[in-house]
Amino acid sequence: MNDNGAAAERLFGGIEAGGTKFVCVVGTGPDDIRAKTRIDTTRPEPTLDHTIRFFREFESSGAEIAAIGIASFGPVELRERESDYGYITRTPKPHWSHTDMVGPIAAALDVPIGFDTDVNAAALAEGRWGASRGLDTHVYVTVGTGIGGGVVANGGAVHGLVHPEIGHVYVPRVEGDTYGGGCPYHDDCLEGMASGFAMNERWERRAEELEGDAFDAALAMEATYLASGFRNIVYAIAPERIVVGGGVSEMPGLIPLVRSKLVERLGGYPGLPEHAGDDFVVPAQLGSGAGSAGSLVLAELALQRRFATG
Amino acid sequence: MNDNGAAAERLFGGIEAGGTKFVCVVGTGPDDIRAKTRIDTTRPEPTLDHTIRFFREFESSGAEIAAIGIASFGPVELRERESDYGYITRTPKPHWSHTDMVGPIAAALDVPIGFDTDVNAAALAEGRWGASRGLDTHVYVTVGTGIGGGVVANGGAVHGLVHPEIGHVYVPRVEGDTYGGGCPYHDDCLEGMASGFAMNERWERRAEELEGDAFDAALAMEATYLASGFRNIVYAIAPERIVVGGGVSEMPGLIPLVRSKLVERLGGYPGLPEHAGDDFVVPAQLGSGAGSAGSLVLAELALQRRFATG
């Protein structure tokens, strides 16, 4: 994925398909967006129709889009051998379970289509233009209403049976925390204990509204849970960096506290000084643009695959 | 990594570098080993000298070795940009901390050298010839005296700052288990609670010697800890399969019990029927030959990289 001249001349389309809006862009990267629109996420058909219209209108000006990437909310089916490849599989969002995302876009626009989760796309984008630029093996974790994560290794996003669901790794309960947990599936997972949703329920107000001792207590607990979750990531994946985005990650002082608590939790194993460095757990750089930028990386990877397989 | 004719004609050398022995082979795969020797692991210099002599003697017959793979005990340095790339970094094994493994072999034999952990190599071998054949994203976990694991995704073994250390993911303590844990770094990790070492300490005899109710209790606890650890693997990596090897994994009934307890621990999320299937957690197929076979895959990958980069 070098930013060489030939690649820079190609225009890619990107769709960040979220539960409340679809952000559609055409460009070569986050600093070179030639067109952009925001479409409310209503029902699948009108939303996808509107999306297709945006790209068609762009192409009607004579410019050509080489490939399109879709960075989607999920869960999604990423295994190409499956008959529902490219679908949102089952989601609490009304009307969107079992929605074919890739099919209609591919049929209408006849270009290679890349498809992955929004967080895998964000991880790719942070690797290409953001906080994990130049690294081979890295993880992006978003801590917002929920907690999700994307993993990049060996030149691509990692997904097997399904995509990583980093929010659901185990975390030990913090002593004295009596909150029951906010995950309907687990009483002991990172998302259940440390998402924005969980913080709101535990502290009975939004994280941004906490002050004084209440803020300090919430910050310490949040950092402890995140550090426990990141320990599992360190040992399972051995990333070179963990990039943290999402609204909750902006709590003042959170990232430095996660760093020191992670070092405690690693307990000196494997004893790498890098795990204690300021550049191991870092804030995301692309902010809310990560999903969009990531959709452009998905497009480029789809084009490369097309070339590679003839 | 197709088994095409051209590749099959090339001979690779492999070194499974373990703490008690080095197993050196020449061949194309586990079913086509042309030469093999076992060298006691003494001090580094004589052990590596002996290893080099084995390959030189093989080549003196006129046959050519195209590349050599080293599947090493660790921890090892896998980042090529580091000055100690190819070293065993620090190990409790006397004399072997900070030992250059790749350098002497490369200098003596002048072929591309692949280098990775023994467990990453075993994961690659199970993917090439064993229990995860044909899969893209899979994990190999060995449960023996210790617990280690290798991860394969996007065509290669995963390693970033360091290699995965799957034995050290967090697992919640099983109710009623008063054993303090066998890991010097953590009081709550998979290896500390579920390794063969931990079982011996907890039950005050070897797993193979447990009978009747004591066996059933040990089996249930072992399966519970493994399932908890595997839950973290499922959510962090989303593998298509988890392959389990090592002596402890051969306890009768263990793998089916791990399967059912893993399903409990996933709690219905993400709700994939595949996670409940008999082909998700499976026994290793290559047995004690996985490391050797993996060293041959490392050799082949090293040769491919040499071609790719000119």
Side-chain angles (χ1 to χ4, degrees):
Chain A
M1 279 199 306
N2 292 314
D3 246 334
N4 58 37
E9 284 165 30
R10 281 201 199 92
L11 286 179
F12 295 106
I15 304 165
E16 183 189 7
T20 59
K21 65 180 190 291
F22 276 36
V23 177
C24 302
V25 296
V26 178
T28 64
D31 297 329
D32 177 29
I33 298 293
R34 313 282 176 91
K36 179 172 178 171
T37 195
R38 181 200 146 115
I39 297 164
D40 286 337
T41 306
T42 57
R43 285 175 177 256
E45 198 181 318
T47 310
L48 291 171
D49 280 353
H50 195 155
T51 298
I52 290 164
R53 213 152 58 229
F54 164 77
F55 291 113
R56 281 206 172 125
E57 275 167 21
F58 181 88
E59 288 201 314
S60 72
S61 72
E64 198 178 309
I65 294 170
I68 290 176
I70 308 173
S72 181
F73 71 106
V76 291
E77 180 55 79
L78 299 177
R79 293 170 292 177
E80 296 194 23
R81 64 176 180 269
E82 297 294 318
S83 60
D84 58 348
Y85 166 75
Y87 280 59
I88 292 175
T89 50
R90 58 164 205 179
T91 165
K93 189 167 174 62
H95 315 300
W96 284 83
S97 281
H98 204 66
T99 294
D100 185 0
M101 300 289 282
V102 167
I105 307 281
L109 296 165
D110 195 27
V111 291
I113 307 287
F115 184 60
D116 213 318
T117 62
D118 43 10
V119 280
N120 264 343
L124 288 166
E126 290 286 347
R128 178 74 177 272
W129 296 290
S132 36
R133 203 162 7 176
L135 301 181
D136 174 67
T137 309
H138 52 93
V139 173
Y140 169 84
V141 179
T142 176
V143 189
T145 309
I147 295 181
V151 178
V152 174
N154 294 322
V158 170
H159 41 77
L161 267 190
V162 68
H163 35 85
E165 289 280 2
I166 278 174
H168 296 275
V169 297
Y170 267 119
V171 290
R173 180 169 289 270
V174 171
E175 214 181 308
D177 183 15
T178 57
Y179 173 57
C183 173
Y185 304 101
H186 313 114
D187 57 9
D188 50 12
C189 72
L190 179 61
E191 175 168 285
M193 303 312 287
S195 66
F197 176 85
M199 291 188 80
N200 293 354
E201 283 210 326
R202 181 189 287 113
W203 306 105
E204 296 180 343
R205 66 201 126 148
R206 298 177 48 187
E208 306 89 286
E209 293 162 359
L210 293 161
E211 293 180 292
D213 291 350
F215 175 86
D216 293 344
L219 186 76
M221 190 177 286
E222 183 68 10
T224 303
Y225 281 124
L226 289 175
S228 291
F230 291 4
R231 164 185 158 180
N232 285 325
I233 294 173
V234 164
Y235 290 138
I237 300 163
E240 293 165 275
R241 189 164 291 160
I242 298 174
V243 175
V244 193
V248 174
S249 74
E250 291 165 18
M251 284 178 81
L254 181 65
I255 302 271
L257 201 54
V258 170
R259 285 179 191 139
S260 60
K261 288 184 181 288
L262 174 59
V263 169
E264 281 171 34
R265 262 145 202 72
L266 296 181
Y269 191 82
L272 281 188
E274 289 88 340
H275 285 139
D278 286 352
D279 56 356
F280 183 62
V281 175
V282 304
Q285 284 183 3
L286 300 176
S288 61
S292 250
S295 64
L296 294 175
V297 181
L298 296 178
E300 182 167 340
L301 291 173
L303 186 67
Q304 286 172 0
R305 260 199 317 277
R306 174 70 59 94
F307 283 147
T309 58
Chain B
M1 279 199 304
N2 293 315
D3 246 333
N4 58 37
E9 284 166 30
R10 278 200 202 92
L11 286 180
F12 296 107
I15 304 164
E16 183 189 7
T20 58
K21 63 181 190 290
F22 276 37
V23 177
C24 302
V25 296
V26 178
T28 64
D31 297 328
D32 176 31
I33 298 293
R34 313 281 175 93
K36 179 172 178 173
T37 194
R38 179 201 147 115
I39 297 165
D40 286 336
T41 307
T42 57
R43 288 176 174 253
E45 200 182 316
T47 309
L48 291 172
D49 280 352
H50 196 155
T51 298
I52 290 164
R53 214 153 55 231
F54 164 76
F55 291 111
R56 281 207 172 126
E57 277 167 20
F58 182 87
E59 289 203 313
S60 72
S61 72
E64 197 178 310
I65 295 170
I68 289 175
I70 307 172
S72 183
F73 71 106
V76 292
E77 180 56 79
L78 299 176
R79 293 170 293 176
E80 296 194 23
R81 64 176 181 268
E82 298 294 316
S83 61
D84 58 348
Y85 165 75
Y87 281 58
I88 292 174
T89 51
R90 57 164 206 177
T91 164
K93 187 166 174 64
H95 316 300
W96 285 83
S97 280
H98 203 65
T99 293
D100 185 0
M101 300 288 283
V102 168
I105 307 281
L109 296 165
D110 195 27
V111 291
I113 308 286
F115 184 60
D116 213 316
T117 61
D118 43 9
V119 280
N120 265 341
L124 288 167
E126 289 286 348
R128 179 73 177 273
W129 296 290
S132 37
R133 206 164 2 179
L135 302 181
D136 175 66
T137 308
H138 52 93
V139 173
Y140 169 83
V141 179
T142 175
V143 189
T145 309
I147 295 181
V151 178
V152 173
N154 294 322
V158 170
H159 41 77
L161 267 188
V162 67
H163 36 85
E165 289 281 3
I166 277 173
H168 297 276
V169 296
Y170 167 72
V171 291
R173 180 169 289 271
V174 171
E175 214 181 307
D177 183 16
T178 57
Y179 174 57
C183 172
Y185 304 101
H186 313 115
D187 58 8
D188 52 13
C189 70
L190 179 60
E191 174 168 286
M193 303 312 288
S195 66
F197 176 85
M199 293 190 77
N200 292 355
E201 283 212 326
R202 181 191 287 112
W203 306 106
E204 296 179 342
R205 67 202 125 149
R206 299 177 50 187
E208 306 90 283
E209 293 162 358
L210 293 161
E211 293 180 294
D213 290 349
F215 175 86
D216 292 343
L219 187 76
M221 189 176 286
E222 184 67 12
T224 303
Y225 281 124
L226 289 175
S228 292
F230 291 2
R231 167 180 152 179
N232 284 325
I233 293 173
V234 165
Y235 289 137
I237 299 162
E240 291 163 275
R241 189 165 292 160
I242 299 174
V243 176
V244 193
V248 174
S249 73
E250 292 165 18
M251 284 178 82
L254 182 64
I255 302 271
L257 201 54
V258 170
R259 286 181 190 136
S260 61
K261 288 183 181 286
L262 174 59
V263 170
E264 279 171 33
R265 263 146 201 74
L266 297 180
Y269 191 82
L272 281 188
E274 289 89 339
H275 285 137
D278 286 351
D279 57 354
F280 184 62
V281 175
V282 304
Q285 284 184 2
L286 301 176
S288 62
S292 249
S295 65
L296 295 175
V297 181
L298 295 177
E300 181 166 341
L301 292 173
L303 187 67
Q304 286 171 359
R305 259 199 319 278
R306 173 70 61 92
F307 284 148
T309 59

